Amino acid sequence: MTAASLIIDRVTRSFTTGRVTARVLGGVSLAIAPGEMTLIVGPSGSGKSTLLAVASGLLRPDGGSVRALDADLWSLPAEAIDRFRLEHCGFVFQGFNLFPALTAVDQVVLPLQYTGLVGAAAYARAMEALVAVGLADKAHLHPLALSGGEKQRVAVARAIAKGPQLLFADEPTSALDKENGAKVARLLHTIARRDGATVLCVSHDPRLIDHADRVVRIEDGVLTADERNPSAVPAPPLAMAPPRPEISP
Amino acid sequence: MSRLGNSVSPSRAVPTIAVGSSDSGVGARPPAGAGRVSLARQTLVYEWRRYLAAVLAVAFSGLLVLVQVALLLGMFRTVTTVVESAGADLWMVEPTVSSFDLARELAPRVENRVRAHPAVIRTERLNLGFADWRGPDGSRVAVTLIALDVGPGSLGFPRSLPSALREALQQPGAVLVDRADVAKLGVASRSEGVEIDGRRVRVAGTVGGFRAIGGANVFVSEATYREIRGAAASRDAPHYVLAALAPGVDPAIVAADLQSVGAEMFRAMTPDALATMSQTYWLLESGTGAGFLFSTVLGLLVGVAITSQTLRAAVLASLREYATLRALGVPLRALRAVVLEQAAWIGAVGFVVTAIATALVIGAAMVAEVAVALTWWAVLATAIFSMLVSVISGLVALAPLLRTEPAELLR
Ligand SMILES: Nc1ncnc2c1ncn2[C@@H]1O[C@H](COP(=O)(O)OP(=O)(O)OP(=O)(O)O)[C@@H](O)[C@H]1O
Ligand SMILES: [Mg+2]
């Protein structure tokens, strides 16, 4: 095994609504390796999204720690955590969360600009990402003119354009039909396999299991199973992307 | 193992693409000249309908302010139209006078003092007098007599009027009134049978642009003035002494010279200085300033209420998209800047609409002979006001953005 790139260590988190305090994460520990797609499954309300948010620097845990790419994430000041996510993290969510006013390529360029990449360079990078998700010919379209599956692929392009080492996806396929869901799942898997990214995906969608290298089960905020998936569907090459020399078979 | 080790690429490109090997898929090029994607501007353009209400709110509150200013300035300017349309380079003003219409008599020897200055080539006197007008139909109006030199080359006679009117005033008992006042003065159809302070006069013509706030302005010659005033005018003390200077002489320098010899008797002022002093006096003294301030604050509140609601609705509609940007590491201040940039554009566009609407309103007012006036500083102040409305609105609209944590929206 490779050294884990994301180490979640005894993380706890509770939510208080009114006078009721509910413990959502009850001391979760998990080490996640790069180059593969790890899927966290569990029933609704089991704490999957909460765990993903804690692991990705979006939600501060009550206890425990998260070690991401050798940084003790939650010991950093808030701006540094923002900076960390800007430099290393990509996100895909169930809702596609695209700005209605921007074309597909502009959706991808926008966050790139904040990394300091602007103008033609940002544009070229965004186009590469759109090519990778197979949407080069739709680059100029607004979300209104895209199907649900295409919107999610734009969202994936937005997440991967900066070449993140950590890619987080929360129910990325739940709003999609079977075929589009499979397409997005294959994309995420490919990014892990070919780019060596750490892909952490949470979902209750069983169709995703086929694409994951490792499946972790969470129930009521504690891990109950952790299995490798030897029958994972092999990751196909990215659309229109010539294989990188060092990883060609 | 080696596969993973190799593929963790330190360069943060999308590593799977060999750029340049084939550009068939990367056919699209950035639009010419488009350096940056501007979320603020592209959203404003794409969803302009959403922002229209905000633009109109800013525009109307700006219009409210600017039209009020124009009316106030127009009103106060009527006090000084005589000063601003006269041809004099300098006006000698009694030192305690605070506004042109509140004239006081100068010492009789002021005119000789002024004329003695080598740069002064001509002097004249000008008197203001309150009088009782009685129209042919018996109507009575309190009028202000403006008594001036009506000889050739007159400094006091308005440059905007034809010299035929000046010559008409040379007839004994001839007066000029403003076109806008003829009905009030009862001389719409007849010009004979008018009395001022019991003396018979005749309306020899009408002028435009000298409408007074109350009462009416009546131009007369010095001789007619003395005739009307009788003994009261015989003391030979003018209210103002007007001076023309040799060409190329700086009025400020001559004013300083004159001041040094007659400071206790008069102030030497340029027409601009006298006009500004008079208008400022009325702005501050009349109490209209407070009323204006009140309605301006009202306009500000209404503008902010509508504009902030519009912007807030837009922010709320995009909250998940903003949250996604936050997740991707875009700092909060960058998103704040997007909303404030939108607000600033709304302010700018709103002000342009204000400017156009104001031009139309003022044009209509001028056609209707309503006294309106605008100055560059009033326009600038309104532009700042519009920006204030929109930026305050933007700050108000930021609240939902600042309040929500991305994790809450992205579950
Ligand atoms: N901000 C919050 N305030 C209060 N309770 C919360 C908050 N966020 C999450 N919870 C609670 O924590 C529990 C776990 O939520 P979470 O979103 O992690 O579940 P999940 O496993 O992702 O469920 P699903 O599959 O439905 O998305 C839920 O019972 C939820 O009500
Ligand atoms: Mg969830």
Side-chain angles (χ1 to χ4, degrees), chain A residues 40-130:
Chain A
I40 298 178
V41 294
S44 183
S46 55
K48 301 185 296 294
S49 296
T50 307
L51 179 59
L52 182 104
V54 169
S56 61
L58 287 177
L59 183 70
R60 186 173 288 277
D62 297 334
S65 68
V66 173
R67 216 170 165 76
L69 304 176
D70 289 329
D72 185 0
L73 198 54
W74 289 109
S75 70
L76 301 175
E79 304 81 62
I81 296 177
D82 279 359
R83 188 83 218 156
F84 181 88
R85 291 201 311 271
L86 185 65
E87 285 173 2
H88 306 293
C89 300
F91 287 88
V92 181
F93 299 103
Q94 176 173 359
F96 319 122
N97 303 341
L98 302 177
F99 290 96
L102 301 186
T103 60
V105 66
D106 284 352
Q107 309 272 2
V108 183
V109 168
L110 183 65
L112 281 182
Q113 283 178 167
Y114 294 101
T115 68
L117 196 65
V118 290
Y123 193 86
R125 181 78 70 82
M127 281 311 298
E128 286 172 28
L130 284 174

Side-chain angles (χ1 to χ4, degrees), chain A residues 85 106 113 125 162 195 244, chain B residues 7 12 15-16 37 326-327:
Chain A
R85 291 201 311 271
D106 284 352
Q113 283 178 167
R125 181 78 70 82
K162 61 183 165 190
D195 305 347
R244 275 156 57 102
Chain B
S7 53
R12 296 192 294 107
T16 50
V37 173
R326 287 284 293 123

Side-chain angles (χ1 to χ4, degrees), chain B residues 191-281:
Chain B
S191 58
E192 303 289 337
V194 180
E195 282 180 8
I196 298 179
D197 283 359
R199 309 277 169 150
R200 203 152 259 283
V201 296
R202 184 176 53 81
V203 176
T206 57
V207 300
F210 291 90
R211 188 180 192 175
I213 299 173
N217 285 323
V218 176
F219 288 97
V220 296
S221 69
E222 290 181 289
T224 305
Y225 180 71
R226 272 195 297 275
E227 167 84 7
I228 294 169
R229 286 273 124 138
S234 62
R235 275 186 293 132
D236 204 26
H239 286 132
Y240 296 98
V241 167
L242 284 60
L245 305 181
V249 178
D250 182 359
I253 293 171
V254 180
D257 280 357
L258 292 172
Q259 210 61 86
S260 66
V261 297
E264 73 291 350
M265 283 191 289
F266 64 86
R267 291 170 70 188
M269 304 179 85
T270 62
D272 277 351
L274 178 54
T276 303
M277 180 182 82
S278 305
Q279 288 167 18
T280 309
Y281 172 81

Side-chain angles (χ1 to χ4, degrees), chain A residues 1-2 34-35 49 53 58-59 82 85-87 89-91 93 97-102 106 109-111 113-114 118-120 123 125 127-129 131-132 136 142 144 158-163 165 170 193-196 238 240-242 244 246-247, chain B residues 1 3-9 11-19 21 24-31 34-39 42-44 46-47 318 320-332 334-335 338 405-407 409-411:
Chain A
M1 278 300 297
T2 353
S49 296
L58 287 177
L59 183 70
D82 279 359
R85 291 201 311 271
L86 185 65
E87 285 173 2
C89 300
F91 287 88
F93 299 103
N97 303 341
L98 302 177
F99 290 96
L102 301 186
D106 284 352
V109 168
L110 183 65
Q113 283 178 167
Y114 294 101
V118 290
Y123 193 86
R125 181 78 70 82
M127 281 311 298
E128 286 172 28
V131 168
H142 286 93
L144 206 59
R158 173 171 66 182
I160 65 169
K162 61 183 165 190
Q165 284 140 284
D170 191 343
R193 285 294 179 87
R194 307 245 339 240
D195 305 347
L238 286 181
M240 286 182 266
R244 275 156 57 102
E246 68 262 44
I247 51 172
Chain B
M1 176 94 185
R3 174 188 57 120
L4 293 172
N6 277 341
S7 53
V8 176
S9 160
S11 91
R12 296 192 294 107
V14 180
T16 50
I17 316 291
V19 191
S21 66
S24 59
V26 199
R29 286 275 153 256
R36 274 188 95 90
V37 173
S38 166
L39 182 57
Q42 280 166 245
T43 305
L44 281 173
Y46 189 79
E47 296 176 37
S318 290
R320 280 169 188 281
E321 286 74 39
Y322 284 128
T324 305
L325 289 186
R326 287 284 293 123
L328 287 169
V330 176
L332 191 56
L335 302 186
V338 169
E405 281 295 317
L409 287 172
L410 300 172
R411 268 180 288 136

